[in-house]
Amino acid sequence: MTLRERIKNEMMVIKALGVVYGDIGTSPIYTFAVILLLLDPTKQTIFEILSMILWTLTMLVTVQYAWLATSLSRRGEGGTVVLVQLLLPYLKGARLTALVTALGYVGISLMIGDGVITPAISILSAVEGINLIPGYEETSRMTLLLIAALIAFALFMVQKKGVENVATAFGPIMVVWFFSLGIVGGYFILQNTEVLHALSPLYALSFIQEHPYISFVILADVLLCATGGEALYADMGHLGRLPILKGWLFASLALILCYYGQGAFLLSHPESVKSPFFEMFHVFAPSLYIPLVILAIFATVIASQAMISGIFSVLYQAMTTRIFPHFNVNYTSNELRSQIYVGSVNWFLFICVVLMLFDFQESAKLASAYGLSVSGAMSITGILISMIFLFKKEYFKMSIAIITGLMSIIFFLSSWLKIPHGGYWSLIIASIPLFIILLYTKGQKKLYKALIPVDKDEFLEEYSKRYRYANHVNGTALFFARQANAIPAYIAKTMFQNGIIYDYNIIVIIKTSHEPHGITSHLSPLGEALDLLIIQPGYMEQLDVEKLLIERHINERTIFYGDEEIISDNIFWKMYAMIKELSPSFVSFYNFPHEKLIGVARRAKI
């Protein structure tokens, strides 16, 4: 490995800190304070909380995500869709396939629900640190909310620059942030090394045994220390596995030092229980407190970036696997094809974030609602990876995955207690993409049944007669279809009813493979001057069909596709028709030249 390659690899680790670890890296700002709202900060209690935090990070993030989940990725890709695609080839029963697919749908939706609260709680918790600056103690709540909203607006504005450019700027800031967490936390640990006794899991187990009901209640708050851990897997497509794992070694050490530093600080400053993080930094270096607040604001902006990047990546996977409507996608990197920007999703998230800010108004109230979607997504990940290891006969990993999966489910059940305190917002927001996914997939099946295809053999027989005796249009025409054994009715209508047959005709099928990357294609003859071209891109591929056609020396003159006009008396199918109408057409998604496209109208009643 050359020096330049080594430097590039290490820079990817810094970028990983900027893209992936912002969310989990800012959890120390509010996690300890939220947990202590329900408990007295006695020495024993502090030790027990620290033990629970440490082993939650270890089992849910290090074991479930950093070790198990990332080992199942393909070519550096991760996320719920990846797990479903890995699992589907092993499944034979229709019911089990439907169950796994449904879990995938729910997992994607929960991630979006989580992605709305993450920026709100992260940014607002840092902005609230302004109240501890001398002279700014009386800053109004509305002023803090407006500052948080403006910061969120700036964050969502820069998304179109691309993850790589954002990470280049954010990475060094997060390096400084994690060093600050580790140094200040380590300083207070040295002031009271007794806190290191809490490294033992016995303290956590003792608390659970002595206070089972209270333990179950606070698990939902303890989980806050691990929120953002799912980004390790979801964001792998942006940066790759190795930089993310190296980054976690650094980030996890800094986080543990910070949490245990807060514990040591509270042992000597129990009056700081409402905001141990900011109070700890204020005592450590009063003159540096204002720069710290500014750094914290930057870090929380970066925290939001981790979730936004993951949502873009997962939604793109959903679009390419045809379980989500096509949106206009901008590709922002020449190196990593999965670095994308989806404008409509970006601004939908921003609007939801602002609504969360002004609805809850305080980070403590947001924390009371936060965690339901995260724990739900973690539970689904635990179930899916356990099944994959079972089918792969890796029984040791399967056993560990079952343990971490059960832990995630317990956290998820505890988080249901947050529903009356605002947790319902996560479910409401998650229900929007889930409804769209279900409506779109069911609608696609209904539409396909309504558009009765022509039997392949009948079509070829009629085509042979027509081509032999009819006049031909000069050039090559492409016709898009879904299946090789059934010809869409619009192709028969174009050729036989309208008499439009070109010198050379190609039926094109794009069938997404179970692999994340790589493109294969196969051209086979169907009849005289009629070929079938099957293209199989990976579900994370930025497919350039024009380039592929040029490589095969195909110079198409016209591209035909079915343009459906959907008619229905059912309100849900009317909504599906509206989604289809607003979404870019199938061929537009693959960036064909518009001057070559001809949509053949087809009316379908569903």
Side-chain angles (χ1 to χ4, degrees):
M1 182 183 292
T2 64
L3 178 61
R4 177 177 291 182
E5 289 174 337
R6 187 180 296 275
I7 292 173
K8 184 178 179 180
N9 289 340
E10 296 309 316
M11 285 301 297
M12 289 297 284
V13 177
I14 295 176
K15 287 182 179 181
L17 292 172
V19 173
V20 180
Y21 296 112
D23 187 3
I24 198 168
T26 53
S27 296
I29 295 177
Y30 49 82
T31 298
F32 223 118
V34 170
I35 296 172
L36 288 173
L37 288 174
L38 301 174
L39 302 170
D40 293 326
T42 64
K43 177 180 175 181
Q44 181 69 15
T45 300
I46 288 172
F47 282 14
E48 289 165 345
I49 291 172
L50 288 173
S51 181
M52 293 177 78
I53 288 174
L54 171 65
W55 290 99
T56 297
L57 282 171
T58 301
M59 295 303 294
L60 295 190
V61 183
T62 302
V63 175
Q64 179 164 294
Y65 282 100
W67 175 34
L68 296 177
T70 61
S71 71
L72 292 172
S73 67
R74 287 180 175 178
R75 303 186 189 181
E77 298 297 337
T80 304
V81 175
V82 171
L83 292 177
V84 172
Q85 294 295 321
L86 285 169
L87 193 51
L88 286 178
Y90 293 105
L91 305 179
K92 296 180 180 179
R95 289 186 178 180
L96 190 57
T97 301
L99 175 62
V100 169
T101 303
L103 284 175
Y105 294 169
V106 174
I108 293 169
S109 304
L110 287 174
M111 185 174 182
I112 296 173
D114 175 38
V116 169
I117 297 184
T118 296
I121 188 174
S122 299
I123 295 172
L124 185 57
S125 63
V127 170
E128 286 173 343
I130 293 173
N131 285 135
L132 292 177
I133 299 175
Y136 291 89
E137 295 90 346
E138 301 301 322
T139 303
S140 69
R141 176 57 50 180
M142 183 55 65
T143 301
L144 295 177
L145 290 171
L146 289 174
I147 292 172
L150 287 173
I151 292 171
F153 176 74
L155 169 68
F156 284 96
M157 272 293 292
V158 302
Q159 291 305 309
K160 59 186 176 183
K161 299 292 184 182
V163 173
E164 189 171 8
N165 293 324
V166 172
T168 301
F170 284 173
I173 297 173
M174 289 308 296
V175 171
V176 175
W177 172 255
F178 281 116
F179 266 119
S180 301
L181 296 184
I183 291 170
V184 177
Y187 170 80
F188 283 102
I189 290 172
L190 292 175
Q191 303 302 307
N192 194 337
T193 56
E194 190 180 6
V195 78
L196 294 176
H197 291 161
L199 291 172
S200 170
L202 295 178
Y203 281 97
L205 295 173
S206 173
F207 184 79
I208 293 170
Q209 184 178 2
E210 293 176 12
H211 311 284
Y213 176 73
I214 296 176
S215 299
F216 182 73
V217 172
I218 69 166
L219 279 179
D221 294 327
V222 173
L223 180 68
L224 295 175
C225 74
T227 54
E230 67 278 10
L232 271 76
Y233 193 44
D235 277 333
M236 281 182 62
H238 293 288
L239 298 162
R241 185 189 186 203
L242 190 58
I244 286 177
L245 294 184
K246 285 183 176 180
W248 177 237
L249 287 175
F250 173 62
S252 60
L253 177 60
L255 289 171
I256 291 168
L257 288 173
C258 183
Y259 281 119
Y260 277 72
Q262 288 185 60
F265 175 76
L266 283 173
L267 290 177
S268 55
H269 299 80
E271 72 282 357
S272 301
V273 67
K274 289 186 177 181
S275 185
F277 178 85
F278 284 113
E279 294 282 5
M280 178 178 73
F281 275 82
H282 196 274
V283 170
F284 176 76
S287 60
L288 295 176
Y289 181 71
I290 293 177
L292 168 79
V293 172
I294 296 172
L295 178 62
I297 290 173
F298 273 110
T300 52
V301 168
I302 296 166
S304 308
Q305 177 63 54
M307 187 54 61
I308 296 167
S309 302
I311 288 174
F312 284 165
S313 182
V314 169
L315 276 184
Y316 183 68
Q317 294 171 13
M319 283 187 277
T320 54
T321 50
R322 299 180 184 177
I323 65 172
F324 204 80
H326 289 155
F327 289 152
N328 286 318
V329 173
N330 295 324
Y331 302 95
T332 59
S333 173
N334 293 322
E335 293 185 13
L336 289 174
R337 288 162 287 194
S338 53
Q339 290 188 5
I340 61 169
Y341 168 74
V342 186
S344 52
V345 174
N346 185 68
W347 294 112
F348 167 76
L349 291 174
F350 169 71
I351 292 169
C352 291
V353 167
V354 173
L355 288 174
M356 293 299 100
L357 285 172
F358 285 91
D359 183 46
F360 287 93
Q361 299 194 356
E362 297 178 19
S363 62
K365 291 181 179 178
L366 275 165
S368 298
Y370 193 32
L372 185 59
S373 292
V374 179
S375 55
M378 287 181 170
S379 300
I380 290 172
T381 297
I383 293 169
L384 294 178
I385 63 175
S386 298
M387 293 177 68
I388 292 171
F389 286 129
L390 171 64
F391 285 114
K392 295 181 74 169
K393 297 182 180 180
E394 297 183 32
Y395 297 118
F396 175 70
K397 286 186 176 181
M398 181 198 72
S399 302
I400 303 300
I402 289 173
I403 293 171
T404 59
L406 288 173
M407 288 182 64
S408 298
I409 291 171
I410 293 171
F411 277 106
F412 181 51
L413 293 175
S414 172
S415 297
W416 277 85
L417 298 174
K418 292 190 170 189
I419 289 179
H421 304 286
Y424 56 84
W425 273 113
S426 290
L427 298 179
I428 290 173
I429 294 167
S431 68
I432 296 173
L434 180 60
F435 175 74
I436 293 174
I437 289 172
L438 293 174
L439 183 67
Y440 186 75
T441 52
K442 296 291 184 183
Q444 289 289 83
K445 291 178 181 178
K446 279 270 189 182
L447 179 61
Y448 185 74
K449 289 180 180 179
L451 298 170
I452 302 172
V454 179
D455 180 74
K456 178 182 174 182
D457 293 333
E458 292 179 8
F459 172 82
L460 292 177
E461 183 179 349
E462 184 65 23
Y463 171 83
S464 180
K465 296 177 184 176
R466 298 275 183 157
Y467 188 84
R468 193 171 302 158
Y469 300 110
N471 294 324
H472 306 151
V473 181
N474 293 332
T476 300
L478 304 183
F479 298 86
F480 278 91
R482 282 185 175 272
Q483 297 180 6
N485 58 354
I487 308 300
Y490 88 88
I491 299 179
K493 176 184 177 182
T494 302
M495 291 185 173
F496 308 151
Q497 185 176 328
N498 298 334
I500 302 174
I501 301 179
Y502 281 67
D503 288 333
Y504 182 31
N505 305 276
I506 304 174
I507 296 176
V508 181
I509 296 174
I510 298 178
K511 186 178 181 181
T512 306
S513 72
H514 293 305
E515 296 287 338
H517 288 307
I519 300 174
T520 60
S521 63
H522 178 68
L523 186 68
S524 58
L526 289 177
E528 185 179 357
L530 177 66
D531 287 346
L532 174 67
L533 176 61
I534 299 177
I535 304 172
Q536 285 192 295
Y539 54 82
M540 286 296 290
E541 276 291 349
Q542 178 187 344
L543 179 60
D544 189 341
V545 181
E546 280 283 271
K547 181 180 177 182
L548 188 147
L549 293 172
I550 291 171
E551 290 174 353
R552 286 189 167 274
H553 307 291
I554 297 172
N555 182 23
E556 77 284 356
R557 179 179 177 181
T558 310
I559 301 169
F560 291 94
Y561 66 95
D563 188 12
E564 302 90 0
E565 179 188 354
I566 302 171
I567 300 173
S568 179
D569 297 326
N570 185 293
I571 182 64
F572 292 108
W573 303 136
K574 285 182 178 180
M575 294 172 67
Y576 165 71
M578 183 180 68
I579 291 173
K580 287 282 288 184
E581 188 175 343
L582 293 175
S583 302
S585 67
F586 171 76
V587 286
S588 296
F589 188 70
Y590 292 109
N591 295 319
F592 282 109
H594 289 286
E595 65 273 11
K596 293 184 178 181
L597 297 175
I598 296 180
V600 181
R602 297 179 292 174
R603 177 171 290 184
K605 184 174 177 61
I606 62 175

